């Protein structure tokens, strides 16, 4: 069924990851710019290019937007972006021309995830731990970290009422083990990958890497695995799968805390990405918060920093919609 297209829906939005491509429409002059009933999702593997996927969406909706804001899971370098975990190479100019847009802006997906924080309401986030989030006015510094196909990292500054997203590739910083078990895991992953980034542990494939490393430490070979195999086994009570998720949550917490320290994001860190809603009950009762706060002399400060799990259904598209709005 085609989405209804209001006459004022003048912006095409996209949130492009390594697995899925999400599209929607927005009204730049609306208080809630993202039109939720226009959201559609497709597998990136089903299309040879982003332009083909976007045109498929436009054909299905009958929309004729004038401009576009596309958030992509990769580094944006001028007119071009490369998807980190997929083969697409995207040119803003060529894609915009193919779609008949007057202009097309490419942004890093976690810059969009960061901008989404400017539009979140209380029902869009769930706190992990007891620190309360305040949306009071004034200057703010937020961190954003999200586990999905990869590990995305960004930031958001509010200065004099204006928001400025920070585009980073912080998911690729080096993993720093904090326990003897994590040191052994690092040894296993180093033998396989050489350099080991946080993304090698805190992502969908990170679950697989962790499970395989724990199996190797035990002298076993688990054979081929997918992330969903591990979460399914955990639900059935499998001890190694449960331990894998425990380590995942602990490392996620440590990385989120490191990001707060790096950016000085004392106002909150937002936990985004497709794995977060799926693991939300586990995160709340795991070692995430303990490792988040476990920062030596800064532990008392970290205890006051809110960690907010994002449960909004389309944070990337929401952030792209925010980026399409004119700055005040």
């Amino acid at each position: 069924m085609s989405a209804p297209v209001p006459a004022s829906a003048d912006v095409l939005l996209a949130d492009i990851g390594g697995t899925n491509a999400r599209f929607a429409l927005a009204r730049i002059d609306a208080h809630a710019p993202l039109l939720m009933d226009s959201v559609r999702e497709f597998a990136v593997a089903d299309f040879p290019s982003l332009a083909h996927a976007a045109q498929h969406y436009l054909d299905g909706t009958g929309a004729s937007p004038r401009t576009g804001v596309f958030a992509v899971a990769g580094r944006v370098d001028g007119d071009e972006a490369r998807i980190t975990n997929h083969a697409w190479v995207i040119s803003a100019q060529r894609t915009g021309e193919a779609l008949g847009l007057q202009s097309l802006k490419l942004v890093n997906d976690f810059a969009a995830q960061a901008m989404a924080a400017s539009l979140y309401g209380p029902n869009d986030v769930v706190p992990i731990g007891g620190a309360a989030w305040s949306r009071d006015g004034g200057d703010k510094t937020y961190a954003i970290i999200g586990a999905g196909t990869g590990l995305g990292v960004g930031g958001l500054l509010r200065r004099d009422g204006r928001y400025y997203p920070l585009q980073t590739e912080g998911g690729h910083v080096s993993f720093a083990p904090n326990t003897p078990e994590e040191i052994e895991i690092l040894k296993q992953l180093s033998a396989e990958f050489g350099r080991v980034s946080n993304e090698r542990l805190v992502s969908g494939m990170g679950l697989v890497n962790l499970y395989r490393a724990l199996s190797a430490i035990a002298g076993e070979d688990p054979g081929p695995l997918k992330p969903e195999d591990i979460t399914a086994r955990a639900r059935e009570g499998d001890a190694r799968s449960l331990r894998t998720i425990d380590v995942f949550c602990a490392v996620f917490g440590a990385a989120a805390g490191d990001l707060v320290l790096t950016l000085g994001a004392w106002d909150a860190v937002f936990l985004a990405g497709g794995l977060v809603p799926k693991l939300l009950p586990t995160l709340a009762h795991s070692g995430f918060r303990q490792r988040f706060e476990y920062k030596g002399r800064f532990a008392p400060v970290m205890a006051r920093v809110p960690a907010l799990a994002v449960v909004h259904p389309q944070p990337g598209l929401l952030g792209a919609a925010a980026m399409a709005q004119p700055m005040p």
Side-chain angles (χ1 to χ4, degrees), residues 259-283:
L259 180 60
V260 167
L261 292 176
T262 300
L263 296 181
W266 313 120
D267 297 301
V269 57
F270 293 88
L271 313 176
L275 287 177
V276 169
K278 297 174 183 177
L279 296 176
L280 185 55
T282 303
L283 275 173

